[in-house]
Amino acid sequence: MPRNDVLVDADWVEQHLDDPKVVLVEVDEDTAAYEKNHIRGAVRVDWKQDLQDQIRRDFVDKDKFEALLSGRGIANDDTIVLYGGNNNWFAAYAYWYFRLYGHDQVKLLDGGRKKWELDSRELVEEVPAREKTTYKAKEPDTTIRAFRDEVIESIGKKNLVDVRSPDEFSGKLLAPAHLPQEQSQRAGHVPTAKNIPWSKAANDDGTFRSDDELTELYQGEGVDFSKDTIAYCRIGERSAHTWFVLHELLDQPNVKNYDGSWTEYGSLVGVPIEKDV
Amino acid sequence: MQDLSLEGIDVATETVIQGTVTRAGQPEGGAYVRLLDSSGEFTAEVVTSATGAFRFFARPGSWTLRALASGDASADAKVDAEQGTVTEASISL
């Protein structure tokens, strides 16, 4: 897919701040970040409260997703521009999720909140009032979502890309190092997975590297573009970032994000695990 | 570090690296601090609080902290961290 169809830069966003058919949506791990300030006109989606079922571990169903977008004043023909902190991890997760429910016109702000802040661009506290809509979602597109059984069957067959940091991959850490390490699951990685940290796909300011650099990165690390690919991390947000790179920027056809990721796999009874420490 | 609480966290089992980012002697809130492992690979990133504070939960070993802030300001600091100890670091932009 041409990069311009899925990615916009900060200048583009500034030029469309008053475009009623462009809706900015902020998605953060730190859900209080939006309350402090945000890009003018942006609405918030809380990845935990809004995008997860509050009882089962799963997505919200189609009805709840429709209610969420309707309540935020997002229409089916609106262009959604997602951005957030953590180098767009959760914005990329929301991008993948919105695609899963069939929203076509969705883009990521390159560099997310970080690049915007480093550029000292305008942030406001005012929460916009958008009129409610009647949003209609499609049935979930599971061609971009992997489940645990498929991951186990893919060992040694498909490209498995573990996008966590080297220390999480090897089993030295159980969570990204901005979080406490107390966890119940086993440490390590899925056998035959390649460790290609999400961060290798991004520049220091959070923007994506060029298509040529990205192609060289994944092929250089042993990803076979003639095979299907499953990306995973700890909870599926960093791997959504890599899914975006492989599926949306590099136009690879069969790439899935395994959102169960290590918190599920590392808790399964009887599955193979490789650990380097 | 008054504004980043360790309440409820078992520090004895963690390898905490924390500190503050300053610019011209003043705390720098909203700076991005990266934790890089001994091979220079990204391990985590946080944003400093209003008082310039940051914290990581790492593992024992050598780490590099890299702060990035507006105006193309950046600076590195190296630390050696131990389990059960809170390792303090200060970074001046």
Side-chain angles (χ1 to χ4, degrees):
Chain A
M1 207 169 295
R3 191 169 263 242
N4 291 344
D5 286 354
V6 294
L7 198 62
V8 294
D9 63 17
D11 288 341
W12 187 96
V13 168
E14 282 191 337
Q15 285 154 19
H16 289 81
L17 284 176
D18 297 304
D19 184 337
K21 297 309 286 176
V22 173
V23 187
L24 285 162
V25 180
E26 176 159 339
V27 192
D28 294 303
E29 179 177 39
D30 169 15
T31 54
Y34 176 89
E35 282 158 28
K36 199 174 111 199
N37 53 34
H38 44 264
I39 300 177
R40 181 163 62 82
V43 297
R44 167 170 61 177
V45 166
D46 183 323
W47 77 275
K48 248 185 203 162
Q49 294 295 320
D50 298 330
L51 297 180
Q52 312 301 322
D53 187 286
Q54 296 299 300
I55 309 279
R56 303 161 58 232
R57 182 176 176 191
D58 206 348
F59 290 170
V60 298
D61 63 21
K62 185 165 159 276
D63 289 348
K64 286 204 178 105
F65 184 74
E66 289 176 341
L68 170 68
L69 268 61
S70 300
R72 293 292 189 278
I74 299 171
N76 282 79
D77 61 349
D78 283 342
T79 295
I80 297 172
V81 177
L82 291 156
Y83 76 97
N86 291 61
N87 297 278
N88 267 341
W89 291 356
F90 289 84
Y93 177 85
Y95 180 104
W96 167 73
Y97 194 114
F98 283 25
R99 274 272 195 261
L100 190 105
Y101 273 124
H103 197 93
D104 292 329
Q105 287 301 313
V106 54
K107 300 171 194 288
L108 267 187
L109 165 58
D110 201 12
R113 195 176 161 112
K114 179 184 189 178
K115 171 81 173 129
W116 191 274
E117 286 181 4
L118 291 174
D119 286 354
S120 303
R121 293 178 194 254
E122 184 195 27
L123 293 163
V124 302
E125 289 174 30
E126 187 193 351
V127 174
R130 294 188 66 85
E131 205 165 309
K132 279 195 175 186
T133 59
T134 309
Y135 188 89
K136 288 283 168 212
K138 294 181 184 153
E139 290 302 324
D141 174 9
T142 51
T143 66
I144 59 171
R145 187 182 192 197
F147 294 93
R148 58 179 178 266
D149 291 348
E150 185 181 355
V151 174
I152 297 165
E153 284 160 17
S154 300
I155 294 172
K157 294 177 189 151
K158 294 180 184 173
N159 299 309
L160 290 169
V161 180
D162 184 320
V163 315
R164 296 173 298 162
S165 64
D167 278 357
E168 292 173 84
F169 180 82
S170 66
K172 292 179 189 136
L173 290 177
L174 269 160
H178 66 285
L179 300 172
Q181 297 296 314
E182 308 146 3
Q183 307 282 339
S184 55
Q185 73 269 11
R186 299 302 170 118
H189 56 265
V190 182
T192 74
K194 303 269 195 299
N195 183 210
I196 312 173
W198 71 274
S199 53
K200 288 188 184 292
N203 299 304
D204 282 357
D205 64 6
T207 56
F208 289 101
R209 294 189 187 279
S210 72
D211 289 355
D212 287 346
E213 288 173 316
L214 293 170
T215 303
E216 199 182 314
L217 165 66
Y218 292 99
Q219 289 187 329
E221 296 283 349
V223 173
D224 180 349
F225 281 170
S226 69
K227 288 184 181 173
D228 295 353
T229 300
I230 297 172
Y232 74 91
C233 57
R234 188 179 72 100
I235 56 171
E237 85 296 16
R238 285 174 284 176
S239 47
H241 186 278
T242 295
W243 174 87
F244 179 87
V245 170
L246 292 170
H247 193 268
E248 302 294 279
L249 294 179
L250 299 184
D251 219 10
Q252 293 301 304
N254 297 310
V255 184
K256 291 184 178 182
N257 181 24
Y258 171 39
D259 59 292
S261 272
W262 196 256
T263 53
E264 177 178 61
Y265 192 94
S267 302
L268 292 174
V269 175
V271 297
I273 288 178
E274 269 178 14
K275 192 178 174 195
D276 303 338
V277 284
Chain B
M1 292 302 297
Q2 289 136 352
D3 58 339
L4 295 184
S5 170
L6 278 167
E7 197 181 335
I9 294 167
D10 184 0
V11 175
T13 67
E14 300 281 352
T15 304
V16 176
I17 300 170
Q18 65 182 28
T20 49
V21 177
T22 53
R23 183 175 345 210
Q26 297 300 311
E28 179 82 3
Y32 287 82
V33 183
R34 288 193 157 196
L35 181 70
L36 306 174
D37 69 18
S38 54
S39 67
E41 187 54 56
F42 178 101
T43 304
E45 183 177 272
V46 293
V47 185
T48 57
S49 69
T51 57
F54 64 87
R55 175 179 295 141
F56 295 104
F57 299 91
R59 63 173 178 80
S62 300
W63 299 92
T64 298
L65 298 159
R66 176 165 299 159
L68 193 62
S70 59
D72 283 331
S74 71
D76 285 7
K78 287 194 186 303
V79 293
D80 288 309
E82 289 173 42
Q83 187 175 341
T85 305
V86 176
T87 302
E88 297 278 351
S90 51
I91 310 174
S92 320
L93 292 167

